[in-house]
Amino acid sequence: MTTSHMNGHVTEDSDSDMKSGELLAHEEPQWHREMAVDCPGDLGSRAMPVRRSAQLERIRQQQEDMRRRREEEGKKQELDLNSSMRLKKLSQNPRIGIDNPTFEPIEGLPPQGPGSTSRILDLEDLLASLKHIQYSLSDSQSQEDISVVLQLIQKTDFQNAFQIHNAVALHMNKPSPPFPLTSNAQDLSQEVQAILRSSQQKDGLELNALLTSPHVQALMQAHDQVAEQELQPEPAGPQDGLYETLTQYGGETVKIVRIEKARDIPLGATVRNDMDSVVISRIVKGGAAEKSGLLHEGDEILEINGIEIRGKDVNEVFDILADMHGTLTFVLIPSQQSKPPPIKETVVHFKAHFDYDPSDDPYVPCRELGLCFQKGDILHVISQEDPNWWQAYRDGDEDNQPLAGLIPGKSFQQQREAMKQTIEEDKEPEKSGKLWCAKKNKKKRKKLLYNANKNEDYDNEEILTYEEMALYHQPANRKRPIALIGPPGCGQNELRQRLMANEPERFAAAVPHTTRSRRDNEVNSRDYHFVSRQAFEMDVGANKFIESGEFEKNLYGTSTDSVRQVINSGKICLLSLHTQSLKVLRSSDLKPYIIFIAPPNQERLRALLAKEGKNPKPEELRDIIEKAREMEQNYGHLFDAAIVNMDQDKAYQELLRLINKLDTEPQWVPSSWLR
């Protein structure tokens, strides 16, 4: 467990970032905790460095100090050259020291000295120097030693090391550009002049005359103008930043990144601990880090605004960044992970088929960035780069929430829900065969009483995650059918009849099929489609019915063709269906709009039924409410809207509003409908 601090609150969070393969294994998963390092804009400000290249110059100064320390340590460890006769003569010629910036002239080589630029020897120069020394030595032992050195130099390993040495030496000896120390040289000059006015010394009078000359004053003015620009922090937008690669920083290649983090745009990154290192674990869409493109997953943070980060806990990093805003200067070790070039991801829209609360999820890698949503919410997924944890916005929150949130990926959610179901099944106590058979037979009896299709029953083993959606605007001449869903007693049939009675030119019902005999006052294809039992059963086998059932030894059903006839006439088809029919209806080409009519509380439901002349018992009221709850739990992900029938008139007006909205606003529908 790690203690994470977020906006002043302390919570105990379990380490998490589970891989899908580890999730299925029955062993201790290897996950880690990520900490969001966004800087809240209301936590005050911190003094920013004023010089644009001050951080770079400080690193270069450290490099120079390291080089000097190496030279001093090298001098301390020098061998006593006088102890060997053959090395004594070698030491008399400083030309052997290839790092020595001042060389004595050697015949056949360019002069090198204090007045000339230091030159790094190449292999040919080194070989020429050694051969010259070999022939100038008198004793054979020394000459033999030089021969051994010459053989060493001609080996490939030595030559590679020599080239690396030269490359580093050239960079280390490269002079740094001059940086202004102050932008008020004119003020300093005037202060010096004021002091020198009372001076009677010759040097003081001469300096005063020099400082008051027009040319020097013009020089001071030009210096201050340039220095003022150099010393002022440059304004940088979210996509502006200084990126400069340095060869050495404590023996490691680093890059310097400057990001301007505005108050209304969080940084948008998470970090994790990897031993003593603090590594960027995730770049969150919508933040300053993602917009700049300069921070990458896997980069190790060495410093932020001059504060050393290595060795700190991720919670300490958050506390440090909580006090910072404006320009953030990072010193980073670039990630060594080889990644393919980034692919511009398109936004994919999903409808959530389950509720999700990150505060209850022990596996979310960064709880502070978890996105809470409910069944039926539309989620705009903008990144699936991490297959386990997608980045998304909830529909309607894009303008108010700059940072994307983390939601479980589809495969990851399916895997862990499957594992959860397996664990729960293993924990269930064994039930008697009698009870099990009774439960099974009850389900079978239910199927016999009502069948929407042979595969229509809700599958309790189905794992609901997300459904890809797209916007759809219904054509003016092809209205979507309206399916009203609800338990008996909630008023959906009354609402349907009221719509058709009040606006018969706009609404109509699908003509059902039946196998019973036609009565005298009935008209075929107006009241029912009268068909034989054999034809009815053949159509059922061909999946032509949305729903079908048997009553008093006669078959009844509503076919997709009947609904299509109403749609083709230009009217809106009103359906009142059982929940088991919804999957069949949605798998057709009818593009239904499904509205759930929910009951109010028990007392209000009693009053509504009393207006209809009904006097239900308390257990009947509870049964209606319980059935509605089961419908919403099992099929709520298929509903497009819900109306709580508190009052028939208000429910009717709300139903009309939803239906009218289909003509004026595009609606989210499964993307498979539009393919």
Side-chain angles (χ1 to χ4, degrees):
M1 302 286 286
T2 61
T3 304
S4 62
H5 303 263
M6 199 65 182
N7 296 336
H9 301 288
V10 180
T11 58
E12 289 293 329
D13 296 332
S14 61
D15 296 338
S16 59
D17 187 11
M18 180 174 285
K19 306 299 182 184
S20 59
E22 296 167 342
L23 178 63
L24 297 177
H26 296 285
E27 58 185 3
E28 186 68 18
Q30 301 296 320
W31 59 69
H32 58 255
R33 171 70 178 163
E34 297 177 17
M35 170 61 71
V37 293
D38 305 312
C39 308
D42 56 350
L43 294 181
S45 61
R46 179 184 176 86
M48 295 290 109
V50 295
R51 191 165 61 202
R52 177 168 55 89
S53 299
Q55 186 81 355
L56 180 60
E57 179 62 18
R58 184 179 62 79
I59 292 177
R60 285 175 173 157
Q61 185 61 45
Q62 289 181 345
Q63 293 174 330
E64 183 66 21
D65 294 341
M66 289 174 59
R67 188 181 68 82
R68 289 174 181 172
R69 286 198 299 270
R70 286 198 299 267
E71 289 181 354
E72 293 175 359
E73 292 174 358
K75 290 179 181 179
K76 294 178 181 178
Q77 297 175 1
E78 284 183 349
L79 296 174
D80 185 2
L81 300 180
N82 295 323
S83 63
S84 173
M85 190 65 179
R86 60 181 181 275
L87 292 178
K88 181 178 180 180
K89 293 184 178 180
L90 291 175
S91 67
Q92 292 174 354
N93 194 332
R95 184 69 177 84
I96 297 298
I98 60 176
D99 286 326
N100 198 334
T102 58
F103 301 138
E104 290 186 1
I106 296 179
E107 182 180 353
L109 294 177
Q112 307 258 347
S116 62
T117 304
S118 173
R119 185 169 70 90
I120 302 299
L121 286 176
D122 56 25
L123 281 173
E124 293 181 359
D125 292 339
L126 181 58
L127 287 171
S129 300
L130 290 174
K131 288 178 180 179
H132 178 84
I133 293 172
Q134 184 181 26
Y135 295 124
S136 66
L137 296 175
S138 58
D139 62 297
S140 58
Q141 182 63 47
S142 297
Q143 292 180 0
E144 185 178 343
D145 290 344
I146 293 295
S147 298
V148 174
V149 174
L150 287 171
Q151 292 177 6
L152 173 65
I153 291 175
Q154 293 173 359
K155 291 185 176 181
T156 304
D157 291 342
F158 179 86
Q159 292 178 1
N160 291 338
F162 189 83
Q163 291 175 0
I164 294 173
H165 174 276
N166 279 358
V168 175
L170 280 172
H171 183 83
M172 296 293 289
N173 291 331
K174 190 182 298 183
S176 299
F179 296 107
L181 298 178
T182 180
S183 61
N184 61 340
Q186 295 179 88
D187 297 338
L188 293 176
S189 174
Q190 293 175 1
E191 292 180 11
V192 173
Q193 292 175 41
I195 295 174
L196 294 176
R197 287 194 188 103
S198 59
S199 175
Q200 300 298 324
Q201 297 181 2
K202 180 180 179 181
D203 293 341
L205 295 173
E206 184 178 353
L207 178 59
N208 187 42
L210 182 64
L211 293 176
T212 55
S213 66
H215 295 296
V216 172
Q217 290 183 351
L219 176 63
M220 295 291 184
Q221 183 180 4
H223 170 276
D224 287 353
Q225 290 177 351
V226 174
E228 185 177 2
Q229 295 178 358
E230 180 69 16
L231 294 176
Q232 282 182 349
E234 294 183 354
Q239 299 186 11
D240 296 332
L242 176 67
Y243 176 91
E244 187 166 352
T245 300
L246 304 179
T247 303
Q248 291 289 315
Y249 172 69
E252 296 177 285
T253 301
V254 302
K255 66 180 179 182
I256 295 179
V257 168
R258 186 188 64 188
I259 295 179
E260 186 74 12
K261 194 190 78 63
R263 291 181 179 273
D264 57 341
I265 300 180
L267 182 61
T270 67
V271 294
R272 70 175 187 271
N273 283 123
D274 187 357
M275 305 296 288
D276 289 338
S277 302
V278 176
V279 179
I280 296 176
S281 182
R282 192 182 306 270
I283 302 298
V284 185
K285 300 291 184 179
E290 185 258 339
K291 293 179 182 297
S292 72
L294 300 179
L295 298 180
H296 304 282
E297 295 178 6
D299 289 350
E300 180 186 351
I301 305 176
L302 297 179
E303 290 187 4
I304 304 176
N305 285 0
I307 300 176
E308 185 175 355
I309 299 300
R310 178 178 281 180
K312 287 183 168 54
D313 182 78
V314 291
N315 299 287
E316 297 179 79
V317 177
F318 170 78
D319 292 336
I320 291 171
L321 277 164
D323 294 331
M324 296 181 179
H325 74 280
T327 303
L328 304 181
T329 303
F330 293 81
V331 180
L332 308 163
I333 296 179
S335 171
Q336 300 301 317
Q337 302 172 359
S338 58
K339 287 189 176 182
I343 300 175
K344 187 175 182 180
E345 296 185 270
T346 56
V347 179
V348 185
H349 315 283
F350 289 97
K351 183 179 182 180
H353 285 182
F354 65 103
D355 297 335
Y356 178 70
D357 185 355
S359 64
D360 294 333
D361 187 355
Y363 302 124
V364 61
C366 184
R367 188 165 296 169
E368 295 80 10
L369 290 177
L371 180 65
C372 182
F373 58 83
Q374 293 181 329
K375 182 194 305 180
D377 285 347
I378 299 298
L379 304 172
H380 307 297
V381 177
I382 61 175
S383 176
Q384 300 181 46
E385 185 176 356
D386 182 347
N388 294 337
W389 294 99
W390 295 349
Q391 297 186 27
Y393 291 98
R394 193 171 47 233
D395 187 46
D397 291 349
E398 300 92 329
D399 297 333
N400 301 325
Q401 185 64 39
L403 278 185
L406 298 180
I407 65 173
K410 185 172 184 177
S411 297
F412 179 77
Q413 180 67 14
Q414 287 175 334
Q415 290 173 21
R416 67 172 176 179
E417 284 300 318
M419 185 179 69
K420 186 188 300 182
Q421 288 181 8
T422 302
I423 295 173
E424 289 176 354
E425 289 173 1
D426 292 341
K427 290 181 178 179
E428 285 184 2
E430 293 186 2
K431 298 180 180 179
S432 66
K434 182 179 180 181
L435 289 176
W436 181 84
C437 291
K439 182 178 180 181
K440 182 178 179 181
N441 291 336
K442 182 179 179 181
K443 183 176 182 180
K444 187 174 182 180
R445 287 196 302 271
K446 179 181 179 182
K447 291 176 67 176
L448 289 174
L449 287 172
Y450 185 86
N451 287 307
N453 193 282
K454 61 181 179 181
N455 296 320
E456 88 292 348
D457 269 356
Y458 174 77
D459 185 1
N460 289 318
E461 302 303 319
E462 182 183 4
I463 298 176
L464 302 175
T465 55
Y466 307 102
E467 183 177 21
E468 187 175 347
M469 308 295 281
L471 282 174
Y472 172 76
H473 200 303
Q474 71 174 9
N477 61 345
R478 191 168 182 81
K479 306 295 187 180
R480 298 174 63 183
I482 306 298
L484 302 181
I485 305 295
C490 286
Q492 67 270 21
N493 287 321
E494 289 76 8
L495 290 171
R496 174 171 168 266
Q497 294 297 333
R498 186 172 176 180
L499 283 172
M500 291 189 293
N502 291 346
E503 300 184 58
E505 72 287 348
R506 186 183 182 194
F507 299 101
V511 178
H513 285 61
T514 184
T515 60
R516 73 169 174 80
S517 301
R518 182 174 63 86
R519 296 167 185 166
D520 293 339
N521 59 339
E522 292 177 335
V523 178
N524 189 28
S525 299
R526 185 196 69 181
D527 300 303
Y528 285 97
H529 293 291
F530 296 98
V531 297
S532 67
R533 191 177 190 94
Q534 182 181 4
F536 194 104
E537 290 176 346
M538 288 180 60
D539 287 346
V540 169
N543 295 325
K544 291 185 177 181
F545 282 98
I546 298 173
E547 65 179 8
S548 62
E550 185 172 2
F551 179 73
E552 294 183 352
K553 298 182 180 181
N554 293 311
L555 299 177
Y556 296 84
T558 302
S559 69
T560 54
D561 286 340
S562 296
V563 176
R564 200 171 288 112
Q565 288 175 2
V566 177
I567 295 173
N568 293 338
S569 69
K571 293 184 179 181
I572 299 175
C573 183
L574 295 178
L575 298 168
S576 180
L577 302 174
H578 291 75
T579 50
Q580 291 92 335
S581 308
L582 293 182
K583 286 189 177 181
V584 180
L585 181 63
R586 290 180 94 248
S587 63
S588 67
D589 61 346
L590 299 176
K591 301 181 179 63
Y593 189 79
I594 302 169
I595 302 175
F596 180 55
I597 307 300
N601 58 49
Q602 188 168 328
E603 290 303 319
R604 186 60 186 166
L605 180 59
R606 181 195 299 276
L608 289 175
L609 293 176
K611 288 184 178 180
E612 300 175 9
K614 300 177 182 178
N615 186 23
K617 297 177 181 179
E619 56 269 21
E620 293 176 335
L621 296 174
R622 289 194 296 269
D623 187 53
I624 292 174
I625 295 174
E626 178 60 23
K627 285 182 179 178
R629 188 195 64 79
E630 291 179 358
M631 284 183 177
E632 199 283 328
Q633 180 179 352
N634 294 338
Y635 300 95
H637 58 284
L638 304 178
F639 302 158
D640 293 297
I643 297 174
V644 178
N645 191 2
M646 300 284 293
D647 177 87
Q648 276 283 351
D649 291 336
K650 291 182 179 179
Y652 177 79
Q653 294 300 324
E654 176 64 14
L655 180 57
L656 265 181
R657 186 190 70 82
L658 290 174
I659 295 174
N660 293 336
K661 191 171 67 171
L662 299 181
D663 288 325
T664 59
E665 298 179 15
Q667 304 294 319
W668 291 105
V669 300
S671 59
S672 59
W673 291 4
L674 307 182
R675 292 169 185 165

